[in-house]
């Protein structure tokens, strides 16, 4: 190997000059990227009414997707111009920076800001201490919302886990497993609002002597019963008819996870227990359930959290009337409709407190992982 | 001797196995039917004419026996008191009572008679026929996609709040960047967390994990205030940023799990060849992570497409930027009885997710297994 030649002073000056030029160029590139993005935004905002919709849609997609890539590329280009020491110190923050920025802005800081806001009055001008929390835990409709959320959490979760498990076990032995699983899973692709239309139609009420076009009432009247207003008059049972929609939507999720857990059970154990004379019920309760216990817990937790935050179904079906208010719709009413920021914030914090055990559990799991000890 | 005993036993075992499998298949088929009926009802109704939807159940498109009026008898309104037996001269002088006509009764001749209008004294003679109300039309879809309906004379008139064509494009413009942006940002971050050493790495990642289940309701009030002061409410950018922020914890966490498991040798050989981390990421890590990226992308796409709350808060009352779910929810609120518009509109909003669902089903399952908690 050749010994490294000493760089002469003027040469070094020249490369440093080149370096400075490149750095300036890179800064320029970054600034230009920002400028182009800003102009694109202004263009979209100002011209979206005059341009044909399809054109703005295409421009928006290209601009939105391209901008992220351009930002990463130009920021990285800038960092690459510096010497190794700076480069290695700064580079990780190019990679994680945007994520940290967005998470900080959209989730981390809002937790603190909402907490702060919950201590103030409705338009955040006067400190009121814990008054909003007293409201959140004592006001009549809030108590009703808590009761309903408990109903959702209990019956919704139980229903999803129960049907999910049954379908997973049945499908495993049936002759049309794939088709059955697709059909049960399909509602996962449907929005709550879409599901709202579907189920409003299912529950549709017409007076007793009119033709029933809703399936539930058609069945009820053909069996000799009276047509019912399922989601409004039958309080508090109407909550269960709303919960039915969530079970319909979410059972597919539970089923898929259970199904692959069941397939993961060693066939040797199942065969051995059958040879030993265990019947199918014993195999199910004494072999399968214990084997997939941890999966059951994960799925149950996930659906519990989900049902805690249920919002769209209630808003679309009843708007929270007829005693069906839940915490999330109550939040929306205070914050979105009544502009009561203090009380809305307090309700959001109550939701956060409700999920905090899961946050704690997640962090403990992370602590056990390799590389994060 | 032993074979004589075991043969019937084997047969009964086979029979019980057959019965068991019959039970499994029938029970499963029944559950599947129950699960599919609501969607089928929507789909069928969306192709029926407005009057048909309102006057008969969607299941009547299937052949079914129905009482069809074949003849209407007008009785003398003045001279037919209801407290005396009524003589139907047109039907061979059969005698019926008012109560019988109210409930409907079958005459000895086999004809079924019923009041058509008790007050007007008209009697309907009905017979049971197998019919199917199977008249289908594309008019509902035409109405919701163009926001216009043709009236009886063929003139187009605008149908308020039903421009689903416009909202469909808005949904696309909102959903595609809201899917790509968080995935790209999360992939960069996951690579940084997994393969780079820097101060604060552990605590930052712990925060990402803690934010996994934070309910997004927490963020709505502060973010809306920021948007108002930045003057970007009601723009695509506002919704993209919100969906990206709310989707990031899960995306980062899932991709971290995947990218940190990539074989060390592959990345190291790239560094020895002089590739920068950026190049390595673009040329090696991203292509290798396609399965994880794809399965998260499917879910993020569905969540954003089906979202209602985020759009409701950040797009608000801007009619030009409304997405499908908002338009549909608005239609439920304002025209909850117009089933021909609601069913077609709902199906338009479900079409893309359902196509995606049926074509990419196997990736779904992989994505579900990777992580089942979302905030």
């Amino acid at each position: 190997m050749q010994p490294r030649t000493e760089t002469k002073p003027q040469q070094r000056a020249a490369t440093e000059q080149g370096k400075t030029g490149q750095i300036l160029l890179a800064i320029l590139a970054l600034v230009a990227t920002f400028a182009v993005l800003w102009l694109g935004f202004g263009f979209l905002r100002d011209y979206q009414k005059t341009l044909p919709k399809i054109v703005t849609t295409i421009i928006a997609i290209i601009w939105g997707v391209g901008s992220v890539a351009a930002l990463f590329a130009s920021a990285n280009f800038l960092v690459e111009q510096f010497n190794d020491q700076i480069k290695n110190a700064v580079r990780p923050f190019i990679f994680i920076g945007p994520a940290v920025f967005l998470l900080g802005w959209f989730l981390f800081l809002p937790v603190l800001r909402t907490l702060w806001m919950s201590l103030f009055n409705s338009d955040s001008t006067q400190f009121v201490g814990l008054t909003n929390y007293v409201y959140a835990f004592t006001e009549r409709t809030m108590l009703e919302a808590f009761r309903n959320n408990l109903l959702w959490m209990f019956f919704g979760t139980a229903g999803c886990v129960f049907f999910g498990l049954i379908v997973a076990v049945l499908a495993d032995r049936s002759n049309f497993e794939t088709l059955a699983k697709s059909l049960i899973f399909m509602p996962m692709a449907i929005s709550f609002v879409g599901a709202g239309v579907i189920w409003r139609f299912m529950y549709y009420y017409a007076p007793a002597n009119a033709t029933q076009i809703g399936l539930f009432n058609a069945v009820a009247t053909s069996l000799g019963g009276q047509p019912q207003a399922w989601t409004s008059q039958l309080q508090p049972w109407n909550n269960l008819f709303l919960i039915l929609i969530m079970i319909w939507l979410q059972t597919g999720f539970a089923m898929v996870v259970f199904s692959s857990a069941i397939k993961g059970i060693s066939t040797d154990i199942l065969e051995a227990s059958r040879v030993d004379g265990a019947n199918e019920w014993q195999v199910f309760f004494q072999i399968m359930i214990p084997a997939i216990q941890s999966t059951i817990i994960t799925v149950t937790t996930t659906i519990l959290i989900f049902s805690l935050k249920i919002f769209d179904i209630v808003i679309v079906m009843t708007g929270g009337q007829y005693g069906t208010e839940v915490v999330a719709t109550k939040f929306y009413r205070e914050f979105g409709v009544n502009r009561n920021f203090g009380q809305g914030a307090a309700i959001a914090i109550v939701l956060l407190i409700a999920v905090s055990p899961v946050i704690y559990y997640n962090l403990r799991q992370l602590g056990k992982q390799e590389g994060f000890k | 001797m032993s074979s004589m005993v075991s043969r019937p036993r084997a047969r009964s075992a086979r029979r019980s196995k057959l019965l068991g499998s019959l039970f499994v298949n029938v029970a499963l088929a029944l559950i599947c039917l129950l699960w599919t009926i609501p969607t089928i009802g929507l789909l069928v109704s969306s192709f029926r004419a407005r009057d048909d939807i309102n006057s008969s159940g969607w299941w009547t498109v299937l052949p079914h026996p129905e009482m069809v009026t074949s003849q209407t008898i007008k009785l003398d309104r003045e001279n037919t008191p209801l407290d005396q037996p009524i003589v139907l001269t047109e039907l061979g002088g059969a005698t019926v009572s008012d109560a019988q006509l109210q409930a409907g009764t079958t005459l000895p001749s086999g004809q079924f008679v019923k009041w058509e209008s008790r007050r007007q004294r008209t009697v309907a003679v009905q017979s049971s026929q197998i019919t199917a109300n199977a008249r289908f039309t594309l008019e509902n879809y035409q109405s919701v996609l163009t926001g216009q309906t043709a009236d009886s004379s063929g003139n187009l008139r605008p149908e308020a709040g039903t421009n689903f064509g416009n909202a469909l494009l808005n949904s696309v413009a909102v959903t595609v960047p809201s899917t790509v942006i968080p995935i790209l940002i999360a992939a960069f971050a996951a690579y940084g967390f997994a393969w780079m050493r820097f101060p604060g790495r552990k605590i930052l990642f712990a925060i990402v994990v803690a934010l996994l289940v934070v309910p997004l309701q927490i963020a709505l009030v502060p973010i809306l205030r920021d948007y108002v002061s930045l003057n970007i409410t009601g723009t695509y950018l506002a919704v993209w940023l919100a969906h990206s922020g709310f989707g990031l914890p899960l995306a980062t966490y899932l991709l971290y799990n995947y990218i940190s498991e990539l074989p060390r040798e592959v990345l190291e050989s790239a560094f020895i060849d002089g590739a920068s981390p950026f190049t390595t990421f673009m040329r090696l890590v991203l292509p290798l992570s396609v399965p994880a990226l794809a399965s998260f992308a499917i879910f993020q796409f569905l969540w954003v497409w089906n979202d209602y709350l985020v759009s409701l808060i950040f797009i608000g009352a801007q009619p030009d930027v409304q997405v499908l779910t908002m338009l549909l929810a608005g239609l439920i609120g304002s025209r909850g009885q117009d089933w021909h518009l609601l069913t077609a509109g709902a199906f338009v909003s479900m079409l893309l997710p359902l196509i995606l669902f049926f074509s990419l089903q196997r990736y779904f399952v992989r994505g579900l297994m990777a992580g089942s908690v979302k905030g």
Side-chain angles (χ1 to χ4, degrees):
Chain A
M1 246 204 218
Q2 292 258 319
R4 280 179 79 172
T5 43
E6 285 278 303
T7 36
K8 284 173 190 144
Q10 63 264 48
Q11 258 182 333
R12 201 186 295 156
T15 50
E16 297 232 312
Q17 239 174 27
K19 268 257 138 89
T20 325
Q22 277 184 345
I23 291 173
L24 281 177
L25 187 72
I27 293 176
L28 206 69
L30 192 60
V31 171
T33 313
F34 271 109
V36 169
L37 294 184
W38 182 247
L39 288 175
F41 171 71
F43 176 79
L44 271 180
R45 185 184 52 189
D46 301 338
Y47 287 91
Q48 65 187 9
K49 279 185 191 148
T50 45
L51 284 173
K53 197 78 208 172
I54 186 93
V55 177
T56 40
T57 305
I58 293 170
I59 295 177
I61 289 174
I62 294 172
W63 177 72
V65 172
S67 59
V68 200
L71 277 180
F72 273 112
S74 54
N76 185 69
F77 180 60
L78 177 60
V79 173
E80 291 295 327
Q81 307 312 319
F82 292 96
N83 65 35
D84 281 354
Q85 208 186 343
I86 299 177
K87 216 193 296 189
N88 288 336
V90 176
R91 193 154 48 201
F93 297 99
I94 299 289
F95 278 76
I96 66 158
V100 170
F101 170 74
L102 274 185
L103 282 171
W105 183 16
F106 281 89
L107 285 169
F108 188 73
L109 288 179
V111 172
L112 306 179
R113 292 169 68 184
T114 302
L115 194 62
W116 182 242
M117 209 181 286
S118 70
L119 303 174
F120 284 81
N121 68 350
S122 58
D123 53 357
S124 306
T125 48
Q126 197 185 339
F127 186 81
V128 294
L130 293 177
T131 315
N132 291 324
Y133 289 92
V134 173
Y135 160 84
F137 283 107
T138 57
E139 202 263 340
R140 191 184 59 82
T141 53
M142 275 309 294
L143 293 180
E144 185 183 275
F146 281 125
R147 179 203 70 185
N148 292 341
N149 259 111
L150 285 178
L151 288 177
W152 279 91
M153 289 169 77
F154 181 78
F155 290 105
T157 311
C160 291
V161 172
F162 176 76
F163 283 109
L165 201 54
I166 286 191
V167 175
V169 172
L170 288 179
D172 196 36
R173 293 140 189 238
S174 73
N175 301 331
F176 51 102
E177 183 179 358
T178 321
L179 176 69
K181 280 158 92 175
S182 316
L183 290 179
I184 305 286
F185 195 44
M186 183 191 65
M188 290 273 292
I190 297 175
S191 70
F192 293 117
V193 181
V197 175
I198 292 180
W199 283 88
R200 281 172 71 98
F201 201 46
M202 291 286 286
Y203 290 143
Y204 188 73
Y205 168 83
N209 51 4
T211 319
Q212 297 297 335
I213 59 168
L215 190 59
F216 268 64
N217 279 325
V219 170
T221 49
S222 73
L223 294 177
Q226 287 292 311
Q228 303 288 343
W230 305 95
T231 54
S232 57
Q233 297 308 317
L234 292 171
Q235 297 169 30
W237 305 109
N238 54 353
N239 282 298
L240 295 185
F241 289 103
L242 299 185
I243 292 172
L244 197 63
I245 305 173
M246 173 183 143
I247 296 175
W248 181 72
L249 281 165
Q250 290 291 310
T251 291
F253 161 75
M255 174 206 66
V256 165
V257 182
F258 287 145
S259 182
S260 52
I262 287 174
K263 290 200 190 310
I265 303 174
S266 141
T267 45
D268 295 349
I269 299 174
L270 295 176
E271 287 302 319
S273 61
R274 281 181 187 131
V275 168
D276 286 349
N279 66 34
E280 287 305 312
W281 294 110
Q282 287 167 327
V283 171
F284 178 71
F285 282 109
Q286 287 167 22
I287 312 282
M288 279 188 175
I289 297 280
I292 61 167
Q293 200 179 4
S294 67
T295 313
I296 295 180
I297 293 174
T298 313
V299 171
T300 308
T301 320
T302 310
I303 301 181
L304 266 182
I305 297 180
F306 178 82
S307 58
L308 184 71
K309 294 179 288 182
I310 202 79
F311 166 77
D312 313 36
I313 294 179
V314 179
I315 276 288
V316 172
M317 295 296 291
T318 64
Q321 287 172 289
Y322 317 115
T324 58
E325 196 93 273
V326 287
V327 175
T329 54
K330 188 69 190 153
F331 161 83
Y332 175 71
R333 201 170 314 288
E334 292 303 342
F335 159 63
V337 181
N338 299 343
R339 299 272 142 190
N340 200 336
F341 291 125
Q343 290 177 355
I347 296 171
I349 294 292
V350 170
L351 270 180
L352 179 67
I353 295 168
V355 299
S356 56
V358 183
I359 299 177
Y360 172 74
Y361 174 79
N362 279 353
L363 285 178
R364 250 193 36 193
Q365 291 301 38
L366 181 72
K368 287 183 191 158
Q369 260 178 39
E370 281 303 309
F372 269 96
K373 270 184 183 162
Chain B
M1 192 67 188
S2 66
S3 68
M4 284 177 70
V5 178
S6 72
R7 203 179 295 148
R9 244 175 74 185
R11 195 181 297 155
S12 86
R14 208 180 314 136
R15 187 188 295 159
S16 80
K17 203 171 174 184
L18 205 70
L19 268 178
S21 121
L22 190 71
F23 169 77
V24 163
N25 282 310
V26 170
L28 189 65
L30 215 62
I31 297 179
C32 287
L33 188 68
L34 281 181
W35 236 258
T36 325
I37 280 178
T39 319
I40 294 177
L42 181 84
L43 181 62
V44 170
S45 301
S46 69
F47 288 107
R48 301 182 75 206
R50 177 184 195 151
D51 298 336
D52 283 359
I53 301 181
N54 291 325
S55 62
S56 60
W58 58 265
W59 50 89
T60 59
V61 300
L62 298 171
H64 62 285
E66 197 176 276
M67 298 308 283
V68 179
T69 305
S70 53
Q71 189 187 350
T72 312
I73 303 169
K74 274 190 158 55
L75 299 174
D76 188 346
R77 214 176 140 191
E78 310 302 319
N79 300 323
T80 315
L82 289 174
D83 49 2
Q84 282 161 27
I86 300 159
V87 182
L88 301 169
T89 43
E90 282 91 339
L91 299 175
T95 320
V96 286
S97 69
D98 169 46
Q100 277 178 318
L101 278 181
Q102 274 191 57
T105 184
T106 312
L107 299 176
S109 59
Q111 285 153 313
F112 183 86
V113 286
K114 195 178 182 181
W115 279 130
E116 190 175 77
S117 163
R118 188 160 169 256
R119 219 159 57 80
Q120 301 292 326
R121 302 286 190 277
T122 54
V123 175
V125 182
Q126 296 183 325
S127 58
S128 176
Q129 287 174 12
I130 302 288
T131 51
N133 300 341
R135 274 173 301 161
F136 298 115
T137 168
L138 285 173
E139 241 171 55
N140 305 336
Y141 284 94
Q142 210 178 333
S143 300
V144 294
L145 282 175
T146 58
Q148 291 175 321
T149 303
D151 60 17
S152 50
S153 51
N155 298 322
L156 290 178
R157 58 181 172 79
E159 197 71 81
T162 60
N163 199 341
F164 278 79
N166 204 26
L168 187 72
L169 289 173
N170 277 329
S171 273
V172 172
V174 161
T175 311
V176 175
S178 297
T179 307
V180 178
I181 293 171
I183 288 183
L184 199 58
I185 291 180
F188 269 99
Y191 176 76
F193 279 121
W195 295 95
M196 290 172 173
R197 294 290 171 267
F198 53 90
R201 167 174 159 271
K202 287 180 188 179
I203 184 79
L204 281 176
F205 195 70
I207 291 176
V208 172
V209 172
L211 293 176
L212 266 178
V213 285
V214 167
L216 63 84
Q217 276 92 347
I218 284 278
L220 297 181
V221 187
I223 299 298
L224 187 64
R225 289 195 171 175
D226 290 351
Y227 279 180
V228 169
S229 50
L230 288 172
N231 192 21
I232 59 171
T233 46
T235 63
Y236 293 135
L237 182 68
V239 199
W240 293 342
L241 283 174
H243 280 302
S244 301
F246 300 143
L248 259 181
L250 187 68
T252 311
Y253 181 69
L254 293 183
L255 293 178
Y256 171 85
N257 284 342
Y258 190 89
I259 290 176
S260 64
E261 300 286 317
L262 291 177
R264 181 159 283 277
E265 307 83 56
V266 176
L267 296 191
E268 267 166 8
S269 64
F271 290 136
I272 291 168
D273 290 348
S276 77
F278 191 81
T279 325
T280 316
F281 177 80
M282 297 301 284
R283 296 275 165 79
L284 261 179
V285 176
L286 274 190
L288 283 175
S289 311
V290 164
L293 297 172
S295 56
F296 182 78
I298 299 168
F299 275 98
Q300 177 75 5
F301 185 93
L302 282 189
W303 282 322
V304 176
W305 187 272
N306 289 337
D307 153 80
Y308 177 53
L309 181 60
V310 172
S311 320
L312 184 64
I313 301 280
F314 295 136
I315 292 178
Q318 296 264 354
D320 290 322
V321 200
Q322 280 201 344
V323 293
L324 282 170
T325 46
M326 295 174 73
L327 196 62
L328 193 57
L331 200 61
I332 293 175
S334 62
R335 312 181 62 170
Q337 309 292 318
D338 287 345
W339 288 111
H340 62 297
L341 299 176
L342 280 175
T343 50
F347 215 80
V348 167
S349 81
M350 286 158 44
L351 201 59
L352 201 59
L354 284 180
I355 292 173
L356 197 77
F357 170 81
F358 281 113
S359 51
L360 300 176
Q361 235 187 98
R362 55 208 171 97
Y363 298 101
F364 262 100
V365 177
R366 210 180 296 162
L368 266 184
M369 304 315 295
S372 33
V373 180
K374 204 221 174 196

